[in-house]
Every structure is written in structure tokens, then in C-alpha cells.
Amino acid sequence: MLVSAKEMLQKAKAGHYAVGQFNINNLEWTKAILQTAQECNSPVILGVSEGAGKYMTGYKTIVGMVNGMIEELNITVPVALHLDHGSFEHCYKCIEAGFSSVMFDGSHYPIDENVAKTKQLVADCNAKGISLEAEVGSIGGEEDGVIGRGECADPNECKMIADLGIDFLAAGIGNIHGKYPENWEGLSFETLDAIQQLTGDMPLVLHGGTGIPADMIKKAISLGVAKINVNTECQLSFAAATRKYIEEGKDLQGKGFDPRKLLAPGAEAIKATVKEKMELFGSINKA
Ligand code: 13P
């Protein structure tokens, strides 16, 4: 059964580790991530962007697939199904479809509008036991064609949004989606520290988990980050393993062209990436 991400992230924050959000794009990814979470006895959050939702034909398909896998793969660790960077409208579509968690990304609205929309979602999500993530300060890089700069959030605005009753908060601290540029200045721990001091027990979320050095990840966790999002790194490992399989001509040997064989090395690569992240984030055996 899907669970809200509220409790798992409160436990993570109190226990000084982070739960990984791994974005899903298809059946193979979903299966690989769920199996790894079970093997590692780790809680896990499956992230779905609006683009990935559309690609997989819609949110109801995804809910059906994930619920089916939890039952048929005997997954007993806590699993949350979470909308990633949702618009106001899509948050409601996901709530209706059966997601257990949503992120409302109102960071591009003026703060008053972000507050008003977040407030309405807090009331509706609370009533249904669905966890809600909100965002302050845009996270840079490209995601589904939207490009941001990677600014640092204003800690006072973070407190304003946190006080509305959301369950976890994504705050820009210089992090960006996708690969980090050579001249990236690193995470702003000063900003993170100020946000944590004002928001207290609120679990904080670090987006753009791909390519952040391990020491920075550990420091971010020590300053209150309890959820870390990873997408690009799974895409890169999946693509590299698939390319290797084809370059070695394995797709032309025997029944190597069978999609179940063709996609298997990519799925194995995702498993390895997810396991490595769970080790780094400290969520192994925390189910
Ligand atoms: P990366 O693609 O950089 O891993 O970021 C994922 C993310 O933050 C999804 O919201």
C-alpha cells in the first residue's frame, strides 16, 4: 500500500538521514527502484514529473502500475508516490488519481500567490492524508523544458510557507537539476542553516541530487535535509548500460533484441545507482 511521505521524512529528519526520491519514467525503472528499496530495507519515494506522467499515459496508469507492483513484488517497505514540481491543477489531478504525496511548485509565483495556493492545498491534502511539498526559491537547470537559475531562497519566505502546515519544504540553496557546470559554486550551507533555524523540525528537500559531491550531501543532511531527489543520474546510468549492450552487439546475438533482454542491463544499472544513493543518504535498514 502506498503511504504518505510525511512520517518517513519526519523519522529521517530526526534520525539524521535522508530518503531518496527517484523519478520514474517507465515500468523498468519503477520495478528496479522498488526492488532495490526492498532489498535495502529502505523507505523510498517514487517521483513523477508532469512530463513523465504524460509519457506514461496519465496518472491513473501510474497509480495502477505502482500499486500492482507493490502487491505482486511483495514490497513491504514504505513507498510514497509523489508528483514532482506539480502545477496547482496537476496536484489535484494526482490527488484524484490516487497519489500519496504531491509537490506544488509555486516558486515562480509572487510570494503572496504561492502562499494562497499552498494554503488551499494544505487544507485539501490534510483532509485526505496526502503529504505536501512546497517550494521557495527556484531550483536551476532544466526540467521538462523549464530552465531556472539556481537562486537561494529567502529564509523568511521559507518560514512563511513552512508555517502554512506543509509537510516538507524544497528551498533553493544554489542546487540545480541535471549536470552541474564546471564553475558551479556549490551549495550555500549558510542559506540552508538559516532556513533550518527558522523552520525547526520541517524536513527540508534537496533537489538536483545528481552530481553533488558526497561530502556536500552529508553536510546538507546534517543541516536538516531529509529528502534528496535524483533523476538525471539514473538516466545516465540507464543510457550508458543500454549503449554498452548495443555497442557490444548483444542485441544481435540470440534473442538479444527481445525488449526484456535489451532493457535488462539498464535496469541493473539503475538498481546499482539507487543502492549507492541509499547508502550515501543513510536510509538503508530504516524501513
Ligand atoms: P537531478 O535530475 O539533477 O538528479 O534532479 C532531480 C530532481 O531534483 C527532481 O525534482
Side-chain angles (χ1 to χ4, degrees):
M1 204 186 69
L2 286 171
V3 296
S4 133
K6 179 178 177 163
E7 197 185 318
M8 66 169 89
L9 294 182
Q10 283 177 345
K11 264 174 76 182
K13 172 126 188 184
H16 306 290
Y17 61 93
V19 177
Q21 173 192 303
F22 301 96
N23 284 45
I24 57 171
N25 288 285
N26 59 23
L27 179 144
E28 284 73 18
W29 287 48
T30 312
K31 182 177 162 189
I33 296 164
L34 287 176
Q35 285 176 326
T36 309
Q38 186 67 27
E39 248 173 62
C40 294
N41 192 30
S42 166
V44 73
I45 299 170
L46 302 178
V48 179
S49 68
E50 291 190 5
K54 196 169 163 194
Y55 174 77
M56 288 184 273
T57 78
Y59 300 123
K60 286 183 190 155
T61 307
I62 298 164
V63 169
M65 174 175 76
V66 172
N67 276 329
M69 280 191 195
I70 289 174
E71 187 184 332
E72 295 184 316
L73 294 172
N74 296 315
I75 304 295
T76 55
V77 296
V79 179
L81 180 59
H82 179 75
L83 172 66
D84 190 26
H85 291 283
S87 62
F88 190 65
E89 187 198 350
H90 279 248
C91 283
Y92 283 98
K93 285 188 179 183
C94 286
I95 292 169
E96 205 182 299
F99 275 51
S100 62
S101 188
V102 292
M103 173 189 188
F104 169 55
D105 182 355
S107 61
H108 49 284
Y109 289 117
I111 187 73
D112 290 349
E113 197 171 350
N114 191 358
V115 166
K117 289 190 155 72
T118 302
K119 223 170 168 170
Q120 189 175 330
L121 275 161
V122 165
D124 293 327
C125 287
N126 272 356
K128 291 184 152 60
I130 288 169
S131 48
L132 176 65
E133 173 178 348
E135 176 172 331
V136 181
S138 90
I139 290 152
E142 195 203 312
E143 193 166 74
D144 279 348
V146 181
I147 299 179
R149 276 194 351 263
E151 65 193 49
C152 284
D154 173 344
N156 290 311
E157 290 188 358
C158 290
K159 178 168 171 47
M160 204 189 294
I161 296 279
D163 285 349
L164 299 175
I166 59 162
D167 299 298
F168 32 103
L169 177 74
I173 53 166
N175 43 327
I176 59 174
H177 292 119
K179 289 183 178 175
Y180 285 85
E182 297 275 318
N183 58 356
W184 179 51
E185 287 170 17
L187 299 175
S188 169
F189 293 112
E190 205 183 311
T191 309
L192 182 57
D193 191 31
I195 294 168
Q196 171 167 246
Q197 293 208 19
L198 286 177
T199 58
D201 291 338
M202 173 69 54
L204 302 174
V205 183
L206 183 63
H207 283 247
T210 297
I212 299 178
D215 58 333
M216 284 195 202
I217 294 277
K218 290 202 164 130
K219 186 153 185 199
I221 294 172
S222 77
L223 290 170
V225 163
K227 170 176 180 280
I228 303 177
N229 293 5
V230 178
N231 181 20
T232 305
E233 202 155 330
C234 288
Q235 297 191 357
L236 291 169
S237 61
F238 183 82
T242 309
R243 191 181 321 114
K244 184 164 175 277
Y245 182 84
I246 292 173
E247 277 175 1
E248 287 172 356
K250 298 222 173 101
D251 56 322
L252 302 173
Q253 295 163 20
K255 279 251 182 187
F257 52 82
D258 178 337
R260 286 171 279 180
K261 289 203 165 62
L262 185 59
L263 297 180
E268 287 306 312
I270 287 184
K271 283 186 184 172
T273 301
V274 170
K275 188 169 179 194
E276 188 190 302
K277 295 296 164 196
M278 287 176 167
E279 272 163 7
L280 176 62
F281 301 167
S283 71
I284 293 191
N285 285 328
K286 294 290 180 2

